[in-house]
Every structure is written in C-alpha cells, then in structure tokens.
Amino acid sequence: PINLADPFIKIAKRTAGINDPRVARVLDADVIDGVAIAVTEFVHGLDLDRFREWAHVSGVLATGIDESAEKWQKMVAYIGAEVAGGLAALHALAPPLVHGGLCPRNIIVTARGGVKVLDVGLRQSAQGSDEPLSPRALAYAAPDPSPDPSAGGPQPSSHLPSLGVVR
C-alpha cells in the first residue's frame, strides 16, 4: 500500500523546498484513498515540442546566418541556459536532486518568456524500477544514469546527455 514513506511522496516533499524561478514549485504532496498525488503550481506556456511547432509555423524558427537565424539561436541558447540553471539549483541541494526524466515535455516556455523545468524526480519515483522506459523517454535518457553503482541512483552528471539532446 502507498503511504507517506512512498518514494514519490518523499521526492515531491523534497522538491517543495526548492525555491528557484526555473523549477516548477510543488505545493503539496499526500496520499488520498491509496493514491499518491503531488500538487504543483500552474505553469502557463508551451512545452518545448509545442514551442518549436509554434516557432516553425510563425516563422520564428530560422536556420542559416541571417538576422532571423541569429535571433532563433539566441532564443535557443537562453532556453538552454535557463534549464541548466534550474538543474544547477537541483544539484546544489545536499544530497543533489536529479530530475530523472528531462525531455521537451518537461520544459515549459512561459507566456512571459520564462523557462520552467517540471516534474523534478516525480516520474522516476513513480515508475517502478522494473518498468522499462517508454521509447520517447528512452531517447532522452542518459546512457549510464548511475556510473558508480555505490552512488545509489542517478547522478547530476546524467543530466548532461539529456540536456544535450533536448531539442
């Protein structure tokens, strides 16, 4: 039975203590009728998949060396830097907190131009260790999330490959 000692609840409560504008806040976590829940802040915006679609349709997404391409490259660099900053806030905790499921759907570009990382550690804690990753999640998974078996799980360095392939 699920109780307050469940890994999902523990991670959600730990995430609630993070105060960084680039990480979506967890407001509460509990078990109700045997179901673990996490209540997070509402983040208004587009995930990176939808953002890229919007940019393509609206003509903002540009390649080459002209002014439009330079504007797009700066936007991509800004988003990447904001995500890296959010991950750095997680890694600064003692012990470090690892997202464990970084992908375009867990990164939101807000309506005001901010960037938020969602679902910190929650998917990983909710997913049983014997459950295989979905093909979509597997595309963003680090090749070896725990290089040191004595480390007890994914390490902050596992974010580097994941962030590098988020597009």
Side-chain angles (χ1 to χ4, degrees):
I2 295 177
N3 58 42
L4 294 177
D6 185 77
F8 180 86
I9 298 295
K10 284 182 172 181
I11 292 288
K13 290 202 178 274
R14 187 158 179 237
T15 304
I18 297 170
N19 186 20
D20 188 280
R22 298 162 294 202
V23 178
R25 291 176 298 143
V26 173
L27 305 173
D28 196 11
D30 207 345
V31 176
I32 300 176
D33 295 331
V35 177
I37 63 161
V39 179
T40 63
E41 74 173 298
F42 174 73
V43 180
H44 180 67
L46 298 172
D47 67 41
L48 284 190
D49 282 337
R50 303 296 86 73
F51 182 76
R52 192 175 62 246
E53 287 172 12
W54 165 82
H56 180 71
V57 169
S58 66
V60 174
L61 191 152
T63 59
I65 57 172
D66 63 1
E67 189 176 316
S68 295
E70 186 177 326
K71 182 179 177 183
W72 175 250
Q73 292 162 3
K74 286 180 181 179
M75 198 178 309
V76 169
Y78 166 75
I79 292 169
E82 289 296 288
V83 171
L87 295 175
L90 302 177
H91 300 166
L93 299 173
L97 188 57
V98 176
H99 188 285
L102 192 64
C103 67
R105 292 196 177 157
N106 287 334
I107 301 168
I108 302 291
V109 178
T110 70
R112 294 182 178 230
V115 177
K116 291 262 189 185
V117 177
L118 307 179
D119 299 338
V120 173
L122 299 180
R123 186 187 62 74
Q124 180 183 354
S125 64
Q127 184 174 12
S129 59
D130 294 337
E131 290 181 51
L133 290 173
S134 71
R136 179 169 177 76
L138 192 56
Y140 299 100
D144 187 359
S146 185
D148 177 6
S150 67
Q155 300 299 299
S157 59
S158 68
H159 283 141
L160 296 177
S162 299
L163 181 56
V165 298
V166 170
R167 53 179 180 92

